[in-house]
Amino acid sequence: MNLKTKRADILIVDDSVIFSQGLVSLLEQYPDYVSSIQVAHNYEQALKVLATATVNTLILDLNFESDDYNGFIIAKKVKNLYPKIKIIILTQEAKIDNYEVLFKQIHVDGYLDKQLGIEETLGALTAIMNNEKYIDKNIKAMLEIGKWLNISRREKDVINLLSQGLTQKEIAHSLNISSRTVETHIKNLTKKMEARNTPHLVSIYSQYKNGNRETGYKL
């Protein structure tokens, strides 16, 4: 651990007593990362702890056995009341729509698959205590798949041909569209995939294709 990294004062909010106790037991073994740990099992308990205890990090489940609240509501409330508190989301159901809401609307700091080990959790703590965002490798892979599955049919045609080494002019001829239209598709794809340029876009696409060759995902 970086010696300059601030230790976390953690509040775990999860309605599973067994999971919470297990996570506390694990985190207590890493005093270099963790200063203190509190636990709350519902919305009301969480707000009470936050009002009275020193907390700089919230580890929060998304799903609760309640019709009145869920992890989204808790995260939004906490960010409104305590904007400096870092929030790590733990979930068994990582979804692209959830990512959009959590990071772009609520502005949480980390997103972890509950199935991963303590190393991933410690990595997330280190990142967010250094004011960085953290998304675990499983969720990153899911998000990448989702990005490619959500592009248009014509964009799929363009990136397939581009990855085969065809020029924009050759792609335009092959698809019977104008070079300007091809250029527009490439610009849109570059933006969607957050690529630096066209070669980077092709590299990202190649990694996606190679990584998912044996799965049921096809582009």
Side-chain angles (χ1 to χ4, degrees), residues 140-179:
K140 276 184 180 178
M142 178 272 297
L143 292 171
E144 286 301 317
I145 290 170
K147 284 181 182 179
W148 288 113
L149 292 178
N150 287 333
I151 66 176
S152 71
R153 180 68 258 171
R154 185 58 84 192
E155 287 172 336
K156 292 175 184 177
D157 293 337
V158 169
I159 189 61
N160 270 319
L161 294 174
L162 192 65
S163 69
Q164 294 172 27
L166 274 67
T167 65
Q168 291 188 22
K169 186 176 181 180
E170 289 169 337
I171 293 172
H173 178 75
S174 177
L175 298 178
N176 196 28
I177 56 179
S178 70
S179 294

Side-chain angles (χ1 to χ4, degrees), residues 48-141:
K48 285 181 181 178
V49 173
L50 290 170
T52 58
T54 299
V55 174
N56 59 27
T57 305
L58 192 72
I59 297 181
L60 174 66
D61 193 5
L62 281 183
N63 301 315
F64 287 81
E65 294 294 329
S66 172
D67 295 328
D68 299 324
Y69 62 86
N70 54 33
F72 295 97
I73 291 173
I74 295 174
K76 188 174 183 180
K77 184 72 171 181
V78 171
K79 280 295 185 182
N80 286 336
L81 292 175
Y82 309 98
K84 291 185 179 181
I85 288 181
K86 308 294 186 181
I87 299 179
I88 296 175
I89 298 295
L90 288 179
T91 183
Q92 291 177 322
E93 299 178 2
K95 298 177 182 177
I96 295 170
D97 291 344
N98 290 352
Y99 168 83
E100 297 289 328
V101 173
L102 290 168
F103 280 90
K104 298 186 179 180
Q105 297 180 27
I106 301 176
H107 305 294
V108 303
D109 304 276
Y111 199 17
L112 295 178
D113 186 335
K114 261 189 171 181
Q115 306 302 318
L116 295 177
I118 188 64
E119 293 82 5
E120 198 81 33
T121 303
L122 295 177
L125 286 174
T126 300
I128 68 167
M129 296 308 291
N130 283 301
N131 297 314
E132 300 171 0
K133 300 292 185 181
Y134 190 93
I135 305 172
D136 80 51
K137 55 188 179 183
N138 289 355
I139 295 177
K140 276 184 180 178

